[in-house]
Amino acid sequence: MSKAKVAFFDFASCEGCQIELTNLGEEVFLGLLDHLEIVEFREAMSEKTTDPIDIAFIEGSFTRESDRARLQSIRARANTVVTYGACACTGGINALKNHQSDYLINVYGKDAMSPQLDSQKALPISAAIKVDYQVHGCPVSMKEFVYIVSHLLHGKEPVILDQSVCAECKKRETVCRYTQGDHCMGMVARGGCGAPCPADGVPCEACRGLMPDANEKALVKVLQEKAGLAKEWAETKSRMYTANLRSDK
Ligand code: SF4
Ligand code: SF4
Ligand code: SF4
């Protein structure tokens, strides 16, 4: 069987998800290479391609109208488009700027008006082109990435359970952060990561985004009443990774 041609593309991002892929580990990475021919991957090789590809993996947000043509070209050449990482799937942490007007001057000072900094709202890649599959997380969940890729290579439909981080946390019998006087957003966060953060003793910050129909009001109430967060902090707490998902986006 011929190998699937795959390419990795990056848009507005820290490229942490690409780096995460290079951290897959020799055994898994070499195992994937038995089935994949990587034809473009800026973090690991200098070659580029304009040929048709089987799977395009896209990292980063859609933040410039001028990127639309490049995205459309990728879509036209790719059988399957997979976005990976919060930036690409939801706009991720980049979408924080959608709610600020003074971030350029605060971050870049005298260089704030440099033409390369000109950009629009940070949006998911799906705002520009059709996306077939999403691998969430900041950084991306490698386990889920391998799961989805292996299913695609075998012509099977990946099954992604619609469950919260809380459900996964309870399955591994982690002591809840709330019993430690901490906060956590696992009850409204999209699962699939296996709840590693609470298991390591830190709160879930919903880096994979919110569950569909997440009850934001209940989250604010819990953060205030159970974790003792001030009202404003409780109200803005979930915005870090979910700025494009909240009802007040
Ligand atoms: S999702 Fe997070 S780690 Fe991945 S590119 Fe975006 S900011 Fe970086
Ligand atoms: S630690 Fe967080 S994710 Fe785990 S059960 Fe408690 S609220 Fe849910
Ligand atoms: S536990 Fe929460 S913050 Fe940690 S990886 Fe999962 S979704 Fe992200």
Side-chain angles (χ1 to χ4, degrees), residues 12-18 59-61 84-88 92-94 137-140 207 241:
S13 67
C14 77
E15 299 192 18
C17 287
Q18 281 190 79
E59 175 200 58
S61 316
Y84 68 109
C87 295
I93 208 161
N94 301 333
C138 179
V140 69
C207 83
Y241 293 106

Side-chain angles (χ1 to χ4, degrees), residues 137-139 141 165 168 184-186 189-199 202-209 241:
C138 179
S141 160
V165 170
E168 297 177 346
C184 188
M185 296 199 297
R190 179 197 301 278
C193 56
C197 300
V202 293
C204 170
E205 301 285 356
C207 83
R208 295 171 54 80
Y241 293 106

Side-chain angles (χ1 to χ4, degrees), residues 104-233:
L104 275 177
I105 196 78
N106 286 335
V107 174
Y108 298 103
K110 63 181 173 48
D111 297 324
M113 293 305 125
S114 301
Q116 71 269 23
L117 298 177
D118 184 31
S119 65
Q120 63 196 34
K121 276 187 168 185
L123 298 171
I125 294 300
S126 58
I129 57 169
K130 178 177 174 283
V131 169
D132 301 305
Y133 299 97
Q134 312 212 82
V135 194
H136 293 274
C138 179
V140 69
S141 160
M142 292 316 306
K143 200 170 150 206
E144 195 176 39
F145 178 85
V146 171
Y147 169 81
I148 289 178
V149 171
S150 66
H151 273 63
L152 293 180
L153 292 176
H154 288 96
K156 291 184 189 165
E157 193 64 24
V159 179
I160 308 292
L161 292 180
D162 203 8
Q163 64 180 9
S164 69
V165 170
C166 256
E168 297 177 346
C169 188
K170 285 176 164 57
K171 268 187 215 156
R172 59 193 289 175
E173 300 184 359
T174 299
V175 176
C176 182
R177 297 311 304 157
Y178 283 96
T179 66
Q180 318 274 313
D182 203 352
H183 74 280
C184 188
M185 296 199 297
M187 58 285 234
V188 292
R190 179 197 301 278
C193 56
C197 300
D200 279 346
V202 293
C204 170
E205 301 285 356
C207 83
R208 295 171 54 80
L210 296 176
M211 293 278 292
D213 305 323
N215 188 333
E216 295 171 32
K217 277 191 184 154
L219 173 67
V220 171
K221 193 164 185 269
V222 169
L223 288 172
Q224 281 184 271
E225 294 180 4
K226 300 280 186 203
L229 268 58
K231 185 167 182 289
E232 192 185 350
W233 184 221

